[in-house]
Amino acid sequence: MVTIYMLFIFTDFFHLFFSEEICMIILDKTNSKLRSFLESHPDFTHRRYFSLNSLQEIHTLLGVMILFGVFRVNRETISNLYSADPNLSRPIIKASIPRDR
């Protein structure tokens, strides 16, 4: 069971590697690249899956990327990570980031 105290420790650990300034730079560059892509591809068919990111989404993405390293998911397929089979899936990843986002 994760306690509030443990969440503070995880947050402190995260901020050792990613300051708010760095996260804001990543957010600005990511959204800038997305805007540029969408403007240059007006007939892009999967446009509905794309929206500007928030700082919380950047934090989540970076946290999930750390978990990828912890779980060594480099050889796992996306379909397995989001599988309904509990032996294949990673529930924390499914709960953090929607597959089609």
Side-chain angles (χ1 to χ4, degrees):
M1 181 169 143
V2 177
T3 65
I4 296 294
Y5 178 73
M6 291 171 71
L7 288 176
F8 284 119
I9 291 172
F10 296 145
T11 303
D12 290 342
F13 175 78
F14 178 85
H15 287 291
L16 286 174
F17 294 95
F18 301 104
S19 68
E20 285 302 299
E21 181 181 1
I22 292 295
C23 290
M24 287 302 297
I25 291 170
I26 293 169
L27 175 65
D28 290 340
K29 297 298 181 184
T30 301
N31 284 339
S32 175
K33 188 73 171 175
L34 178 59
R35 276 190 213 96
S36 175
F37 175 81
L38 292 176
E39 288 171 4
S40 64
H41 297 83
D43 53 349
F44 182 62
T45 57
H46 299 291
R47 183 179 281 279
R48 68 182 175 276
Y49 296 119
F50 290 81
S51 62
L52 296 181
N53 295 292
S54 68
L55 188 57
Q56 180 63 42
E57 288 175 314
I58 295 298
H59 287 162
T60 302
L61 175 64
L62 293 171
V64 166
M65 290 173 72
I66 290 170
L67 288 175
F68 279 2
V70 170
F71 293 145
R72 298 177 183 223
V73 298
N74 61 334
R75 291 189 177 91
E76 295 182 46
T77 65
I78 295 294
S79 59
N80 282 354
L81 292 173
Y82 289 91
S83 173
D85 182 346
N87 295 319
L88 297 176
S89 71
R90 301 289 184 172
I92 192 157
I93 294 170
K94 287 173 63 172
S96 300
I97 298 178
R99 179 180 176 181
D100 292 330
R101 173 72 169 102

